[in-house]
Amino acid sequence: MWLIRLYVRVLGQLGSDLKVGAVLSLANIGLAIAAFAEPILFGRIIDRLTGGGAAAAGPVTFSSLLPLLFAWIGFGLFTIGAGVLVALHADRLSHRRRLATMANYFEHVLELPLAFHTSTHSGRVLKVMLEGSNGMAWLWLGFFRDHLAAIVALTILLPLTLFLNWRLGILLVVLVFLFTILTALVLRKTETLQGYVEGFHSRLAEQASDALGNVPVIQSFTRTKAETGQLRSTITQLLAAQTPVLSWWAIASIATRASATLTVTSIFLLGTWLNLTGRATVGDVVMFMSIATMLIGRLEQVVAFVNQLFMQAPKMREFFEILDTAPTVSDRPHAQNIDRFKGEVAFENVSFSYDGKRTAIADVSFSVEAGQTIALVGATGSGKSTTLGLLHRAFDPQSGAIRIDGVDIRDICLASLRRNIGVVFQEPMLFARSIRENLQVGRPDATEAEMMDALERAQALEFIQRQSDGLDSVIGERGRSLSGGERQRLSIARALLKNPPILILDEATSALDATTEKRLQAALIEVMKGRTTFVIAHRLATIRNADRILVFHQSRVVESGTFEELVALDGRFAELARGQFMAPDAAAAGPTARPSLVAVGG
Ligand code: ADP
Ligand code: MG
């Protein structure tokens, strides 16, 4: 059954705490045995005192009782010692493992392909991390505090009571059997429903974090009521699914109670009758009464535990589902570590699709010499970003190969590939940390002077000096306290600090106003020197300075050449040029811009 498999898998996650776990397990087994031994010894002592059972042979003296009393005291002391051990270490262990599992999950998730992150909301990823690891901590704690002792008591020690008095023993076995059936039944009834409940929980997390990430939109479109309404409706659905589950488990717990009372009464009645007919001693009856009370306590624990495990299981299942997602982009066994690339790049018949159905890029081939600047132009959705994403292995192509300095990039270890490629994304993606820490992402050991230099080259110095705390100003979630253009300049500075031989600028200047962009343009030309640079841009000035232009149209490279060559060709590029990037430039530079293109073309 999947619940048991899951349970075993969670217990297998103990990792470096396996030894502590083993010691705690032994302590628990000891505790279970002690819990059984006490009523047995008690029963024997009573038999001696009442002159029942085998003890009837000799006179009862205090010294003849001593071995039994000492054994009893011994078990009592052991129970205290082992109890202290468990109390001290079970909690520590579960806290340690919870945080360790969380860190493993975090690392794993960060390595998962971007495709996973585009399709899974970060709110869900976070919820699964927190709830999954909490669930596991609860399980470990429970296992070392109660479950293991309960399992040992019910599966190993309970059958042994048949040897003590089989008639009374059978009553207990029947009781446990009934409990098992009842619990299994309730599990069956509620399994599917609880799966829905968990789905709703995840949806809640997604909705809430999606809304919290878009507060400005919600406020300006006065959607507060609508968003809250959506959340409430998910809550209503969740409760509708949860209530029947709760009712079933309430029934289970009441039935548990009732059958427990019934069993104790039956043992008493049966025991009395057996005693009167000489088939059980008073000690036997007392012993079975206390074993029954103890077992019932254990059984109630088990039922409560199965109930909770069942509620927590979907959380842990989701956790493992994500943990089992394999990173699609990973190092080959003999991947090379290359210190610094020269910067030659070649695409050979590269095709890629995100979903396996619609092509994002098809049969793209081109080669670039080290140090060149390549502009990628084309309508949105024509495949430019995808092409450059493949270069730093955000994804791997389905067919074709990409080589850097003649080596297939799949034969280069990921870390060295990505260390050699700087990317400035269209969306600047900054951390909610200080400006300094955001820059250090580019190079952890950068000095203050180097940071200032990078900021200056990215035209970012002046607005950072305006910040109250300078480099130590914290810029809010995703850099929200900065304007779009400021964010872009900061992310350019971050890439500059990395000083990579290959640089990718994916619409890195799209949020800048014409004046700033012009100033940055000069800086970027400086930046592009001595490295292979890929730029996706829509403005004439950037494109004009490129050594080569690749024109994308419907997932393919349809033209390639210098600006002059392409204008002379009068094909797709010339058409794009007239319609697209000449327009903003014309607005900024006046009506002379357009004739200048015509002049070049003629
Ligand atoms: P461009 O950068 O030229 O605007 P893209 O390379 O981003 O174009 O997109 C190429 C195609 O791939 C488009 O049809 C786009 O819808 C699709 N696409 C882009 N990113 C993803 C993604 N993460 N998942 C699925 N499809 C995507
Ligand atoms: Mg793009």
Side-chain angles (χ1 to χ4, degrees), residues 23-312:
V23 173
L24 287 177
S25 301
L26 283 179
N28 267 293
I29 294 173
L31 281 173
I33 294 174
F36 254 87
E38 281 177 12
I40 294 177
L41 289 170
F42 189 46
R44 290 283 172 269
I45 294 172
I46 290 196
D47 276 347
R48 287 288 174 93
L49 293 175
T50 56
V60 197
T61 59
F62 189 71
S63 60
S64 75
L65 282 178
L66 273 182
L68 287 173
L69 286 174
F70 274 126
W72 197 16
I73 292 169
F75 276 115
L77 288 178
F78 171 80
T79 305
I80 294 174
V84 170
L85 183 81
V86 170
L88 272 182
H89 289 283
D91 285 72
R92 295 185 195 182
L93 176 137
S94 83
H95 273 91
R96 259 199 317 272
R97 292 320 301 164
R98 178 172 70 89
L99 296 172
T101 325
M102 211 189 255
N104 289 344
Y105 172 93
F106 184 67
E107 183 180 9
H108 173 80
V109 164
L110 287 186
E111 278 170 359
L112 284 180
L114 289 181
F116 167 85
H117 292 281
T118 13
S119 62
T120 318
H121 199 287
S122 61
R124 180 184 283 253
V125 177
L126 185 68
K127 176 231 165 216
V128 170
M129 171 168 103
L130 296 177
E131 294 201 332
S133 56
N134 270 343
M136 284 192 234
W138 162 82
L139 201 148
W140 289 314
L141 192 61
F143 181 78
F144 289 118
R145 271 200 195 151
D146 310 315
H147 308 167
L148 182 59
I151 292 169
V152 172
L154 295 176
T155 57
I156 301 176
L157 301 177
L158 171 69
L160 293 182
T161 57
L162 290 174
F163 293 105
L164 294 172
N165 185 312
W166 67 269
R167 294 184 185 83
L168 289 169
I170 278 180
L171 254 184
L172 288 178
V173 173
V174 168
L175 169 73
V176 172
F177 190 64
L178 280 179
F179 266 101
T180 314
I181 291 183
L182 182 72
T183 314
L185 187 86
V186 173
L187 271 180
R188 273 267 289 282
K189 285 274 178 213
T190 49
E191 196 175 324
T192 331
L193 275 175
Q194 190 60 29
Y196 293 144
V197 169
E198 215 37 49
F200 287 126
H201 273 300
S202 285
R203 198 197 295 173
L204 270 186
E206 261 177 42
Q207 280 179 349
S209 95
D210 201 29
L212 291 174
N214 289 303
V215 171
V217 180
I218 292 175
Q219 291 185 346
S220 83
F221 286 83
T222 52
R223 279 194 54 86
T224 315
K225 285 253 153 51
E227 290 291 326
T228 318
Q230 267 179 20
L231 197 81
R232 289 226 168 88
S233 112
T234 307
I235 290 174
T236 313
Q237 285 171 292
L238 192 155
L239 282 178
Q242 184 77 83
T243 312
V245 177
L246 295 178
S247 311
W248 272 108
W249 282 99
I251 291 174
S253 114
I254 294 165
T256 309
R257 260 288 118 116
S259 48
T261 315
L262 217 67
T263 312
V264 175
T265 320
S266 324
I267 286 183
F268 189 64
L269 289 178
L270 181 66
T272 312
W273 179 68
L274 288 175
N275 179 256
L276 291 178
T277 54
R279 277 172 292 184
T281 61
V282 177
D284 279 346
V285 180
V286 173
M287 174 173 81
F288 270 86
M289 289 290 285
S290 15
I291 291 182
T293 318
M294 191 262 301
L295 273 184
I296 286 163
R298 293 289 194 209
L299 277 176
E300 281 177 347
Q301 269 174 7
V302 170
V303 174
F305 155 69
V306 174
N307 172 7
Q308 282 185 25
L309 172 63
F310 170 77
M311 303 277 187
Q312 305 272 350

Side-chain angles (χ1 to χ4, degrees), residues 166-477:
W166 67 269
R167 294 184 185 83
L168 289 169
I170 278 180
L171 254 184
L172 288 178
V173 173
V174 168
L175 169 73
V176 172
F177 190 64
L178 280 179
F179 266 101
T180 314
I181 291 183
L182 182 72
T183 314
L185 187 86
V186 173
L187 271 180
R188 273 267 289 282
K189 285 274 178 213
T190 49
E191 196 175 324
T192 331
L193 275 175
Q194 190 60 29
Y196 293 144
V197 169
E198 215 37 49
F200 287 126
H201 273 300
S202 285
R203 198 197 295 173
L204 270 186
E206 261 177 42
Q207 280 179 349
S209 95
D210 201 29
L212 291 174
N214 289 303
V215 171
V217 180
I218 292 175
Q219 291 185 346
S220 83
F221 286 83
T222 52
R223 279 194 54 86
T224 315
K225 285 253 153 51
E227 290 291 326
T228 318
Q230 267 179 20
L231 197 81
R232 289 226 168 88
S233 112
T234 307
I235 290 174
T236 313
Q237 285 171 292
L238 192 155
L239 282 178
Q242 184 77 83
T243 312
V245 177
L246 295 178
S247 311
W248 272 108
W249 282 99
I251 291 174
S253 114
I254 294 165
T256 309
R257 260 288 118 116
S259 48
T261 315
L262 217 67
T263 312
V264 175
T265 320
S266 324
I267 286 183
F268 189 64
L269 289 178
L270 181 66
T272 312
W273 179 68
L274 288 175
N275 179 256
L276 291 178
T277 54
R279 277 172 292 184
T281 61
V282 177
D284 279 346
V285 180
V286 173
M287 174 173 81
F288 270 86
M289 289 290 285
S290 15
I291 291 182
T293 318
M294 191 262 301
L295 273 184
I296 286 163
R298 293 289 194 209
L299 277 176
E300 281 177 347
Q301 269 174 7
V302 170
V303 174
F305 155 69
V306 174
N307 172 7
Q308 282 185 25
L309 172 63
F310 170 77
M311 303 277 187
Q312 305 272 350
K315 301 187 206 307
M316 290 182 248
R317 218 155 41 156
E318 267 190 302
F319 187 93
F320 285 127
E321 259 166 35
I322 292 188
L323 213 57
D324 290 340
T325 315
T328 46
V329 175
S330 55
D331 276 345
R332 282 190 181 170
H334 300 291
Q336 310 177 29
N337 183 21
I338 296 177
D339 203 41
R340 192 169 174 89
F341 297 162
K342 289 204 300 285
E344 270 172 44
V345 175
F347 273 60
E348 294 165 6
N349 309 99
V350 175
S351 298
F352 176 74
S353 160
Y354 285 95
D355 53 9
K357 286 178 238 139
R358 221 157 42 94
T359 47
I361 63 163
D363 207 20
V364 168
S365 297
F366 61 87
S367 64
V368 173
E369 285 163 35
Q372 281 191 329
T373 297
I374 311 300
L376 285 74
V377 300
T380 41
S382 57
K384 308 179 295 293
S385 299
T386 306
T387 304
L388 297 184
L390 291 170
L391 182 59
H392 61 99
R393 289 190 77 194
F395 333 94
D396 277 337
Q398 272 96 7
S399 65
I402 303 167
R403 291 178 203 285
I404 296 182
D405 301 342
V407 185
D408 190 319
I409 56 172
R410 282 166 294 193
D411 292 324
I412 302 173
C413 72
L414 260 183
S416 94
L417 176 77
R418 293 186 180 159
R419 199 178 52 235
N420 274 284
I421 301 179
V423 189
V424 181
F425 300 94
Q426 177 170 16
E427 219 184 306
M429 302 204 240
L430 298 168
F431 294 98
R433 303 174 191 169
S434 68
I435 292 174
R436 183 191 305 280
E437 285 167 293
N438 270 289
L439 287 171
Q440 279 167 340
V441 169
R443 187 142 57 89
D445 57 358
T447 63
E448 181 115 5
E450 285 168 327
M451 288 189 204
M452 286 306 186
D453 177 56
L455 287 170
E456 185 170 2
R457 283 197 286 157
Q459 304 290 316
L461 202 54
E462 135 280 330
F463 80 79
I464 281 163
Q465 279 162 349
R466 262 191 284 123
Q467 300 280 326
S468 52
D469 292 324
L471 278 182
D472 293 311
S473 316
V474 175
I475 56 176
E477 197 178 327

Side-chain angles (χ1 to χ4, degrees), residues 506-582:
D506 189 346
E507 310 202 21
T509 56
S510 58
L512 301 184
D513 55 89
T515 329
T516 315
E517 197 190 3
K518 241 180 213 136
R519 272 198 289 150
L520 190 59
Q521 207 63 59
L524 280 181
I525 290 172
E526 196 58 35
V527 163
M528 291 169 184
K529 278 198 186 131
R531 62 182 110 239
T532 312
T533 312
F534 294 89
V535 273
I536 300 178
H538 297 297
R539 303 213 193 174
L540 182 63
T542 322
I543 295 165
R544 240 187 150 138
N545 287 319
D547 296 304
R548 191 129 68 89
I549 299 164
L550 301 173
V551 185
F552 281 75
H553 183 54
Q554 293 176 350
S555 319
R556 291 171 186 277
V557 176
V558 290
E559 291 169 16
S560 123
T562 62
F563 185 82
E564 284 75 17
E565 284 165 4
L566 291 181
V567 171
L569 193 66
D570 198 23
R572 177 77 192 147
F573 179 75
E575 185 189 326
L576 265 176
R578 279 192 293 273
Q580 187 187 351
F581 46 71
M582 287 307 294

